[in-house]
Amino acid sequence: MANTIINGMQWGDEGKGKIVDLLCPAFDAVVRYQGGDNAGHTVKFEDRHFALHLVPSGILHPETLCVLGSGMVINPDTLFRELDGLTEAGVDFEDRFFISKRAHVVLPIYPVLDQAREAAMGKAQIGTTARGIGPAYESKITRFGVRMGDLLASGWESRVEDQVERLGREIVALGGEAPVEHEVMARCRDWVERLRPYLAETESLLNGWIVDGKSLLFEGAQGALLDVDHGTYPYVTSSSSTAGGACTGSGVPPTSIDGVIGVLKAYTTRVGGGPFATELEDAMGEHLRERGNEFGTTTGRPRRCGWLDLVAAGHARMLSGVDSIALTKLDVLDELDEIRVCVGYRLEGEIVKSFPPSVDLLEKVEPVYESLPGWKQTTVGALLLSDLPQAAQDYVSFIEEWLEAGVGIVSTGPRREETIVRDEENLSRLTGGRLSDIVEAAAGNKAPARN
Ligand code: GDP
Ligand code: IMO
Ligand code: MG
């Protein structure tokens, strides 16, 4: 068995949903541990397509237990919409879906406040997903928050009323329209009975499962560079999206974790504001956006696109302690003559290889590129690394050498069956010796393969 964290190594949307879904056959449970419905995780297999925001990507595997951990902030309206969508799609989850009583509720006033603050910031805005994530974490940290478990007891109503009054005043001062108190209260009351069957002490549940020999997969949301402490602050989300967040956000101690698989897109994207050294605001950026279908799963916004930034990814590798890399969207580069990779930053006349600690500095850096030849052939659906064109194999090796971590998975299409799974030492360890099950899932109806 193994307890493994899946973490994005960039600014989100690396393809974490696809990788979590792929790895499920080797795990008993999937746990979300931070963020909320700002996440948008896409899972595709055969002719099926799911976009998940709160529910773990493991839900599509009928035997997999799924948990929303204590570090999350949860909007019940979004959750119910998502659960209804799953039911309509024939996914049964009733006895295997659990929500931490310690997770925080995204009250209906938070998205309104999020939007009012963003509008008031003008050009300096963060470009949030407008889901109320910042206000929800702010209320949690200032100890005004309402937890999911609070809804089952008495006393929560006056706390919600207090927030509606206080935050309502801020919304009005910012020029927005405050929600009506009795409507907010009615909405919250409507949630209680539907939430009740799912609410659990998931911290004890998860640790009990570990004692029973079950394997847990932790599904990160966002990416390391959006981490509130370690990312491009203030252009970040409001939670700990590096691997460390998996412990605080689930109640599973670091001593029970076996390691981390980092998900890295073969180029870089970012949604919202903030520094992005390798951004391409030209035809090449447009090419990546179109070919990579880089439009937000949550908000539909076009994602900013650029070359792979190994300085930023190296920062993520260090912070999350990535043992094995899942490299995604390699196929998006298939048509290019030349591929650039950022291997350093030029900053105030010097070359730096580490990620600067402030936005002021990050806005001044100029990327130092290394140029690699493109392969100009399709890579979609390859089963073995050795099936890829030599230049594509060289691209993978370049990343491995630079980041000092093996690439265990190479994704060459959005579907589960468009993935190369390698017999890489750390990947084998982090899937608890059940790598052959994953190789089989990736092969789909093609012959199982190995390399
Ligand atoms: P997440 O937030 O990290 O789960 O990523 P998203 O689902 O928001 O964005 C990733 C997008 O890329 C989705 O549309 C996926 O279907 C798609 N995708 C994932 N892996 C691949 C791949 O290897 N190739 C291509 N072309 N698309 C991929
Ligand atoms: P997944 O899990 C990409 C970005 C927003 C904004 C910043 C703060 O799909 O990778 P927030 O609403 O969290 O306060 O917004 O963070 N952001 C994401 N970008 N993927 C995500 O999630 C994101 N979640 C938040 O665009 O720049
Ligand atoms: Mg996403």
Side-chain angles (χ1 to χ4, degrees):
M1 59 156 267
N3 300 315
T4 299
I5 300 170
I6 302 293
N7 222 232
M9 294 180 72
Q10 290 150 319
W11 281 283
D13 303 326
E14 297 90 349
K16 299 176 293 293
K18 166 175 174 164
I19 300 301
V20 168
D21 165 73
L22 174 78
L23 294 178
C24 276
F27 294 87
D28 300 292
V30 180
V31 187
R32 274 279 309 267
Y33 53 88
Q34 42 73 232
D37 60 356
N38 48 351
H41 295 178
T42 314
V43 178
K44 294 186 181 179
F45 53 92
E46 296 160 5
D47 59 353
R48 312 207 67 187
H49 177 179
F50 296 88
L52 299 162
H53 301 284
L54 286 166
V55 177
S57 300
I59 205 77
L60 306 171
H61 294 255
E63 305 294 319
T64 304
L65 301 162
C66 287
V67 173
L68 302 188
S70 51
M72 287 188 74
V73 292
I74 299 168
N75 182 334
D77 285 332
T78 311
L79 179 66
F80 299 150
R81 261 199 308 279
E82 206 163 304
L83 294 177
D84 289 344
L86 287 166
T87 302
E88 270 166 38
V91 178
D92 182 17
F93 48 81
E94 287 305 328
D95 298 323
R96 58 187 182 94
F97 178 61
F98 307 91
I99 304 170
S100 170
K101 290 182 178 174
R102 292 180 168 91
H104 277 249
V105 183
V106 174
L107 296 174
I109 196 160
Y110 297 157
V112 184
L113 179 59
D114 193 355
Q115 285 160 48
R117 284 180 178 168
E118 284 278 283
M121 281 171 88
K123 276 197 182 146
Q125 64 181 218
I126 307 291
T128 72
T129 59
R131 296 296 187 270
I133 303 300
Y137 278 111
E138 175 181 307
S139 297
K140 164 177 160 167
I141 298 298
T142 51
R143 293 157 295 187
F144 289 108
V146 176
R147 307 211 285 190
M148 297 301 277
D150 295 345
L151 296 176
L152 303 184
S154 57
W156 63 269
E157 296 193 350
S158 59
R159 302 190 33 222
V160 175
E161 280 161 7
D162 168 65
Q163 290 211 52
V164 175
E165 279 160 32
R166 208 162 32 80
L167 302 179
R169 282 196 294 275
E170 182 180 343
I171 292 168
V172 171
L174 290 168
E177 198 178 322
V180 178
E181 186 173 294
H182 71 87
E183 288 176 6
V184 171
M185 299 312 295
R187 226 157 117 193
C188 296
R189 280 187 209 106
D190 280 349
W191 293 335
V192 179
E193 286 317 308
R194 187 158 182 202
L195 285 171
R196 192 184 295 276
Y198 305 117
L199 295 178
E201 269 202 64
T202 56
E203 303 73 35
S204 306
L205 212 55
L206 291 170
N207 283 291
W209 290 345
I210 293 174
V211 172
D212 293 344
K214 288 188 165 48
S215 293
L216 312 184
L217 188 62
F218 293 85
E219 177 174 354
Q222 290 81 53
L225 303 174
L226 286 171
D227 184 284
V228 68
D229 291 296
H230 304 289
T232 46
Y233 189 90
Y235 297 96
V236 292
T237 191
S238 302
S239 65
S240 297
S241 52
T242 43
C247 292
T248 52
S250 69
V252 172
T255 43
S256 294
I257 303 290
D258 293 285
V260 180
I261 296 173
V263 186
L264 181 73
K265 202 182 290 202
Y267 50 98
T268 310
T269 61
R270 165 159 218 176
V271 198
F276 180 175
T278 61
E279 182 168 17
L280 294 164
E281 291 175 285
D282 57 7
M284 183 58 75
E286 194 53 39
H287 175 82
L288 293 174
R289 182 154 43 249
E290 290 303 322
R291 215 186 129 91
N293 190 22
E294 296 295 356
F295 297 89
T297 313
T298 300
T299 57
R301 288 179 289 178
R303 297 175 181 150
R304 300 159 65 191
C305 296
W307 296 120
L308 179 61
D309 181 343
L310 287 176
V311 179
H315 185 58
R317 182 209 175 314
M318 174 187 79
L319 295 168
S320 286
V322 171
D323 298 296
S324 181
I325 295 171
L327 182 67
T328 59
K329 305 193 85 158
L330 189 71
D331 56 299
V332 175
L333 307 180
D334 280 355
E335 289 173 358
L336 304 184
D337 293 318
E338 180 208 15
I339 299 168
R340 292 178 153 209
V341 179
C342 171
V343 294
Y345 293 151
R346 195 166 286 113
L347 177 62
E348 293 166 347
E350 296 198 11
I351 305 282
V352 296
K353 303 262 175 189
S354 61
F355 198 66
S358 78
V359 163
D360 287 352
L361 292 173
L362 281 163
E363 266 158 6
K364 283 191 209 150
V365 304
E366 273 176 52
V368 177
Y369 286 118
E370 198 145 319
S371 172
L372 298 163
W375 42 91
K376 307 204 64 167
Q377 285 176 53
T378 183
T379 57
V380 178
L383 275 184
L384 299 174
L385 195 76
S386 54
D387 289 343
L388 294 182
Q390 190 56 48
Q393 294 185 44
D394 293 345
Y395 191 67
V396 174
S397 305
F398 187 89
I399 292 168
E400 287 185 315
E401 277 161 34
W402 223 91
L403 293 178
E404 297 176 8
V407 170
I409 294 172
V410 180
S411 172
T412 60
R415 292 162 63 242
R416 190 191 287 163
E417 305 84 8
E418 293 165 329
T419 323
I420 297 167
V421 181
R422 297 171 78 191
D423 196 359
E424 190 249 338
E425 192 185 331
N426 277 333
L427 183 63
S428 183
R429 178 175 66 79
L430 295 176
T431 48
R434 285 150 86 175
L435 197 61
S436 56
D437 295 344
I438 294 161
V439 171
E440 213 171 288
N445 56 10
K446 295 171 271 183
R450 245 168 243 290
N451 66 331

